[in-house]
Amino acid sequence: MESRAMVLEEGKERTTNQVKGLPITLLRVLILFVTICAVFSVISIYTLKHFGIESVVTTTVMKSSFQPCRGEQDRLLDLEDWIRPNSNPIHNMSDKELLWRASFGSRIKDYPFKRVPKVAFMFLTKGPLPLAPLWERFFKGNERLYSIYVHSLPSFQPQFSRSSVFYNRQIPSKVAEWGRMSMCDAERRLLANALLDIYNERFVLLSESCIPLYNFSFVYNYIMESKHSFMSVFDDPGPYGRGRYRNEMAPLVNITQWRKGSQWFEVNRKIATSIVEDTRYYPIFEKYCRPACYVDEHYFPTMLSIEAGNALANRSLTWVDWSRGGAHPASFGKSDIREEFIVRIRSRHHCKYNERNSTVCVLFARKFSPSSLKPLLDMDSRVLGF
């Protein structure tokens, strides 16, 4: 019994010593953990102090959460993206959206890139361009100095070859009726599409029956060096001028401001922009100038003579023969095409060009029928210069 009691006493004492030793072990582990945390904190503070919290956080976030897609989205937009003209004028904008977009303009005159100004040739047609081969010859070799826009009936599908200067140059179009505001809408649509190209500086409105009377270099220099835009503007006191005026247009337009002019114009970029951004004169001309008031003869001439009269040369660059009378000008076909005929058109005029007297007053002529194409192409190149 005594020996058993001693064994139990020893076991009890050994157990008691183990229980007492357990807190000491935990205390040692806790001290080690605190020491490690303190060392890590010191290292972290040193790192942040010398390298900065922003760089550390940014680097961590970029590596962990921001992985940009590769390809086009990686490239930032540069100036070239804003100034590069579209190779195809087709778009999905409505007229309202197009006019708004085209009204954008830089107020700084000095361009931050090399800009070679172009002439925009805008063809307002019903369908085909029967004189296209003549124009192809006219444009050849001057690709960087012009652009082309064609407005035809929406249903018309052009069949130009890929090598043609007219290939893919048809803009989104609507029906344009002679003498109605839809005709002016078509002209504004052409201007607006051409204004989207920042390189276009001058804008010429032409029809499918127009021909050039000089070579491209001569036409380009004449237009670019002019201080004025070319729009026929005059006060006609007769029944086909002031006789078309409506008193309801006052006070915005008084009868003394009422003007008439040719539909075929050439304007600079500033005037073109003022035409497409107009919301002041458009509503009253749309409402009050209807047949027998032919709005395409009055809207632009009247508006521009009021707003920018000093910028206009008050003449058109397109010759038209009204000598035969009637509602439409004379038309010319195969039998009319002679060298003397072309020379007579070019030399029978006197005008002012940059405040100086000149005998070069027209650069284009109309109306030439499809039958005139062959004799025009067969004519000695020295006559037209191309």
Side-chain angles (χ1 to χ4, degrees):
M1 281 298 286
E2 188 175 345
S3 61
R4 184 180 177 188
M6 289 179 63
V7 171
L8 289 173
E9 192 68 29
E10 284 184 17
K12 182 179 179 180
E13 183 178 352
R14 208 178 283 121
T15 303
T16 302
N17 290 338
Q18 287 176 359
V19 173
K20 289 181 179 179
L22 184 60
I24 296 175
T25 303
L26 289 174
L27 182 61
R28 289 174 179 172
V29 172
L30 181 61
I31 291 172
L32 178 62
F33 176 75
V34 170
T35 302
I36 292 173
C37 289
V39 172
F40 180 77
S41 298
V42 171
I43 294 173
S44 299
I45 292 171
Y46 177 83
T47 302
L48 295 175
K49 182 178 179 181
H50 284 77
F51 297 100
I53 187 170
E54 291 184 3
S55 61
V56 173
V57 172
T58 303
T59 303
T60 304
V61 171
M62 287 180 66
K63 287 183 177 180
S64 61
S65 62
F66 182 69
Q67 296 295 328
C69 298
R70 300 298 176 190
E72 279 297 314
Q73 295 181 9
D74 266 352
R75 189 175 67 82
L76 297 177
L77 292 175
D78 56 25
L79 183 62
E80 184 64 24
D81 294 300
W82 296 101
I83 65 175
R84 185 190 302 113
N86 290 330
S87 59
N88 190 327
I90 294 298
H91 54 75
N92 292 321
M93 288 184 283
S94 66
D95 279 353
K96 185 177 181 179
E97 293 168 337
L98 173 64
L99 296 176
W100 175 81
R101 174 63 184 86
S103 68
F104 291 4
S106 172
R107 295 182 179 272
I108 300 177
K109 294 182 179 180
D110 295 329
Y111 290 89
F113 57 93
K114 184 178 179 181
R115 180 178 180 265
V116 178
K118 297 190 296 186
V119 177
F121 291 84
M122 308 177 302
F123 291 84
L124 181 57
T125 78
K126 293 181 179 179
L129 288 169
L131 302 177
L134 183 68
W135 284 102
E136 298 266 7
R137 184 182 291 183
F138 169 78
F139 288 122
K140 187 176 181 180
N142 299 283
E143 285 71 20
R144 295 179 63 248
L145 301 177
Y146 70 85
S147 53
I148 295 173
Y149 303 86
V150 180
H151 186 294
S152 61
L153 291 173
S155 59
F156 175 70
Q157 296 296 323
Q159 301 295 324
F160 295 109
S161 66
R162 287 182 173 271
S163 60
S164 172
V165 297
F166 294 100
Y167 181 75
N168 272 355
R169 301 313 304 168
Q170 189 173 19
I171 68 169
S173 306
K174 295 182 180 180
V175 174
E177 297 180 85
W178 178 69
R180 297 187 178 273
M181 187 54 95
S182 60
M183 184 65 73
C184 294
D185 290 337
E187 295 168 10
R188 296 177 87 203
R189 202 173 291 123
L190 279 164
L191 283 171
N193 277 277
L195 280 167
L196 298 181
D197 185 344
I198 191 64
Y199 291 92
N200 287 332
E201 183 61 29
R202 309 288 296 217
F203 306 78
V204 183
L205 182 66
L206 302 162
S207 75
E208 70 269 29
S209 65
C210 286
I211 67 166
L213 296 174
Y214 298 89
N215 63 37
F216 182 89
S217 296
F218 186 93
V219 170
Y220 179 89
N221 291 328
Y222 188 99
I223 290 175
M224 285 297 176
E225 293 172 8
S226 174
K227 300 176 183 178
H228 301 93
S229 291
F230 296 91
M231 181 171 290
S232 174
V233 177
F234 59 93
D235 182 7
D236 180 359
Y240 303 115
R242 290 196 180 192
R244 296 172 175 174
Y245 175 79
R246 293 276 298 274
N247 291 327
E248 292 88 343
M249 303 182 82
L252 184 60
V253 177
N254 295 311
I255 192 169
T256 56
Q257 299 171 307
W258 184 254
R259 294 293 183 268
K260 185 177 180 179
S262 169
Q263 177 184 6
W264 313 103
F265 60 76
E266 186 282 327
V267 296
N268 62 24
R269 191 172 184 90
K270 183 177 180 180
I271 296 294
T273 303
S274 68
I275 291 174
V276 303
E277 71 182 7
D278 172 52
T279 56
R280 188 182 184 196
Y281 296 91
Y282 183 97
I284 65 166
F285 275 91
E286 182 183 34
K287 185 175 182 179
Y288 297 115
C289 188
R290 302 192 173 200
C293 176
Y294 301 109
V295 68
D296 53 286
E297 295 180 358
H298 296 282
Y299 172 32
F300 296 157
T302 300
M303 177 186 72
L304 293 177
S305 68
I306 296 172
E307 299 294 333
N310 292 333
L312 304 178
N314 289 340
R315 61 185 174 91
S316 174
L317 292 180
T318 301
W319 176 81
V320 182
D321 183 7
W322 290 97
S323 63
R324 302 179 189 179
H328 300 282
S331 181
F332 305 99
K334 180 179 179 180
S335 60
D336 298 297
I337 308 306
R338 299 286 186 274
E339 179 179 336
E340 304 79 45
F341 176 62
I342 301 298
V343 172
R344 189 167 66 252
I345 293 175
R346 296 194 306 198
S347 62
R348 64 193 299 180
H349 308 279
H350 296 276
C351 61
K352 290 283 187 180
Y353 176 75
N354 291 342
E355 286 86 41
R356 294 183 178 183
N357 294 328
S358 176
T359 57
V360 179
C361 305
V362 292
L363 303 179
F364 313 99
R366 66 185 300 268
K367 299 173 60 172
F368 287 79
S369 67
S371 67
S372 67
L373 177 62
K374 189 176 186 308
L376 284 168
L377 291 174
D378 292 340
M379 187 174 290
D380 192 321
S381 61
R382 290 175 294 182
V383 178
L384 293 174
F386 60 94

